[in-house]
Amino acid sequence: MATKACLIVSLWISCLLATSHATTFSSLQRTIVLTASPQAGQVLKAGEDNITLTWSLNTTFPSGTDSTYKDVTVELCYAPISQKDRGWRKTVDELAKDKTCQHNIVKKPYTSSNITFTWTVRKDVPGATYFVRAYALDSAGKKVAFGQTTDAHKTTNLFEVEAVTGRHVSLDIASVCFSAFSIFSLFGFFFMDKRKGKSSK
Ligand SMILES: *[C@@H]1O[C@H](CO)[C@@H](O)[C@H](O)[C@H]1NC(C)=O
Ligand SMILES: *[C@@H]1O[C@H](CO)[C@@H](O)[C@H](O)[C@H]1NC(C)=O
Ligand SMILES: *[C@@H]1O[C@H](CO)[C@@H](O)[C@H](O)[C@H]1NC(C)=O
């Protein structure tokens, strides 16, 4: 009973924290140079094919830009071409609310020199068109800069992922609904518990 109450309070606090540190994508500088191995239009098989990524600091930027960088996180992001009729996946400037980059690839400590990493496209990645984005994080984990393999309009160098048979993007909606459902049922149990407690007095 106490643990349930505790869980609900911590969920609530983490929601509050997530919204109080609003960082917008448009406020970030593109100081990270990021390249990925797939050719434009290449089709990769989820669970099989590999992406080789390289990132480093753009050294032609004014010096000192990277003094606050602590880590780099690299993410697989949906390209707008697959967003045509999916309003729920529209790009939102506030990063905490943006659903563009939903698949974490890797997080590594930041260095200004080239880092190379090879990633096998995970089995659960839905079939769609993608690009890769890297964020520089400060010591508080806040996104402070970025780099991506496509242009600002997200139209160049896109590649596709072919899903493991049967897996479709709509499963993502199902999982969002499911997590909302879990939170609601948690509340449900909490109140049922409370009632039970009262009636047995
Ligand atoms: C991807 O990398 C893994 C591990 O490094 C390797 O076993 C696999 O053969 C690679 N896949 C392809 C399609 O090259
Ligand atoms: C690095 O930054 C400079 C200055 O903003 C820019 O002109 C150049 O295109 C960038 N290089 C890369 C590879 O992104
Ligand atoms: C990273 O690699 C690119 C090309 O592969 C090279 O031009 C650049 O100098 C390298 N940067 C660093 C900081 O080593």
Side-chain angles (χ1 to χ4, degrees):
M1 174 71 201
T3 45
K4 260 179 226 160
C6 196
L7 197 58
I8 289 166
V9 169
S10 54
L11 270 175
W12 184 64
I13 289 172
S14 59
C15 279
L16 282 184
L17 285 178
T19 48
S20 64
H21 289 287
T23 306
T24 56
F25 182 69
S26 53
S27 69
L28 304 183
Q29 278 189 318
R30 188 173 179 166
T31 58
I32 305 292
V33 181
L34 174 70
T35 61
S37 59
Q39 305 285 311
Q42 193 174 336
V43 181
L44 304 175
K45 284 199 182 73
E48 275 182 41
D49 288 334
N50 298 323
I51 297 180
T52 301
L53 300 151
T54 305
W55 63 92
S56 62
L57 180 73
N58 181 343
T59 48
T60 63
F61 250 82
S63 62
T65 39
D66 65 344
S67 60
T68 60
Y69 303 178
K70 168 95 189 330
D71 293 301
V72 167
T73 169
V74 186
E75 296 170 8
L76 184 69
C77 311
Y78 289 113
I81 206 160
S82 63
Q83 291 180 349
K84 259 183 229 152
D85 45 16
R86 296 189 184 116
W88 60 273
R89 217 201 273 149
K90 252 202 210 112
T91 304
V92 180
D93 195 34
E94 192 180 326
L95 284 169
K97 292 184 180 157
D98 187 24
K99 302 243 188 299
T100 309
C101 304
Q102 293 195 56
H103 305 277
N104 293 328
I105 295 177
V106 69
K107 183 176 168 187
K108 279 182 177 288
Y110 169 78
T111 68
S112 62
S113 56
N114 289 341
I115 302 250
T116 298
F117 182 80
T118 300
W119 185 66
T120 306
V121 179
R122 264 201 324 263
K123 268 206 211 92
D124 62 342
V125 170
T129 306
Y130 294 94
F131 64 95
V132 182
R133 183 180 287 166
Y135 288 107
L137 309 174
D138 68 10
S139 55
K142 187 172 177 281
K143 288 166 179 166
V144 288
F146 80 105
Q148 63 186 23
T149 58
T150 186
D151 64 352
H153 303 292
K154 294 182 271 183
T155 55
T156 59
N157 294 324
L158 305 178
F159 55 89
E160 282 178 48
V161 170
E162 195 177 81
V164 175
T165 22
R167 168 85 199 181
H168 187 265
V169 132
S170 59
L171 278 182
D172 280 5
I173 310 179
S175 65
V176 166
C177 293
F178 183 73
S179 46
F181 173 77
S182 334
I183 292 168
F184 279 121
S185 34
L186 205 65
F187 272 104
F189 282 125
F190 178 66
F191 289 115
M192 259 164 58
D193 249 31
K194 251 184 132 174
R195 278 202 181 165
K196 254 194 235 153
K198 263 187 201 158
S199 58
S200 62
K201 249 179 214 166

